[in-house]
Amino acid sequence: MSKGRLEAFSDGVLAIIITIMVLELKVPEGSNWQSLKTLIPKFLAYIFSFIYLGIYWNNHHHLFQAVKRVNGKILWANLHLLFWLSLMPFATQWIGETHFAKNPAAAYGIVLMMCAIAYLILENLILKSEGEDSKLKEAINYKFKEYFSIASYTLGLATSFFYPYLAIGFYYLVALVWLIPDKRIEKLLNKD
């Protein structure tokens, strides 16, 4: 099957998710700069979630640039990833509204962890589909970032009920690790 429809659909869904998130930022009542102060937690949550969505879009794009074909399992795995990404506006709104309280921080971490797991599942199915001797398999021969992410989310989740700001620190540490697009795949793409 062609990968074009999958990529176009994924791009559209991510654009809608980002649009929903920004529409949740309501204009303050007042007209002075002080009235914006109440929006700081919501705006910070939006910024970080936007960065996360950008990271997923970027890495999804790179991954699919190296994919030759897709099958039904890959389509479902991609929908699984999009499902968890579609919960980002909810998690972002809740964490911003509550000023990073413990239960919303845990919920945010659950969404982030499930996105990471879904991406890993998608990546594994793609590697299986491409075959053992594929260039993509050669490029993704270790998965440090993937497993580091899941471990950091687990630590964040564990601490979220006691130290929600520390949990947020774990979550954003993962974002820092992934800010640079996956060099393994870029090297593969630059070879061709």
Side-chain angles (χ1 to χ4, degrees):
M1 278 186 248
S2 168
K3 62 182 181 172
R5 288 193 65 205
L6 179 144
E7 291 174 299
F9 180 73
S10 301
D11 288 349
V13 170
L14 284 167
I16 290 168
I17 292 168
I18 289 170
T19 302
I20 290 168
M21 279 191 341
V22 77
L23 290 175
E24 293 297 326
L25 291 175
K26 304 297 181 208
V27 176
E29 296 292 322
S31 61
N32 59 20
W33 293 110
Q34 191 65 21
S35 60
L36 288 175
K37 194 174 184 179
T38 60
L39 286 180
I40 290 174
K42 292 178 189 178
F43 193 65
L44 287 173
Y46 169 77
I47 289 170
F48 289 123
S49 293
F50 184 91
I51 289 168
Y52 262 114
L53 289 169
I55 289 167
Y56 274 102
W57 177 81
N58 212 322
N59 285 292
H60 188 274
H61 172 74
H62 277 87
L63 181 62
F64 276 92
Q65 289 301 304
V67 170
K68 303 278 188 257
R69 63 191 173 280
V70 296
N71 58 32
K73 289 179 182 179
I74 293 170
L75 292 174
W76 280 109
N78 192 67
L79 282 172
H80 179 236
L81 172 62
L82 293 176
F83 168 78
W84 289 106
L85 289 172
S86 74
L87 292 175
M88 286 295 284
F90 168 78
T92 302
Q93 182 71 10
W94 197 21
I95 204 167
E97 285 280 334
T98 61
H99 298 225
F100 304 94
K102 59 184 176 181
N103 289 331
Y108 193 73
I110 290 168
V111 170
L112 290 173
M113 183 188 302
M114 293 308 298
C115 288
I117 291 169
Y119 187 84
L120 184 60
I121 291 169
L122 176 63
E123 189 177 72
N124 286 338
L125 286 170
I126 288 170
L127 291 174
K128 186 176 178 183
S129 172
E130 293 290 310
E132 286 297 318
D133 58 343
S134 71
K135 289 183 180 182
L136 187 59
K137 177 79 171 182
E138 181 185 324
I140 305 177
N141 58 358
Y142 64 97
K143 297 183 181 191
F144 172 77
K145 282 177 146 182
E146 291 88 335
Y147 293 121
F148 173 81
S149 301
I150 293 169
S152 295
Y153 293 142
T154 302
L155 287 171
L157 256 168
T159 60
S160 65
F161 297 106
F162 308 103
Y163 305 104
Y165 289 105
L166 180 60
I168 300 301
F170 281 117
Y171 304 154
Y172 298 140
L173 176 64
V174 174
L176 287 174
V177 169
W178 283 97
L179 268 176
I180 297 170
D182 200 330
K183 293 285 188 191
R184 302 168 298 179
I185 295 174
E186 281 202 356
K187 287 177 187 174
L188 168 72
L189 294 173
N190 289 333
K191 282 183 184 178
D192 293 334

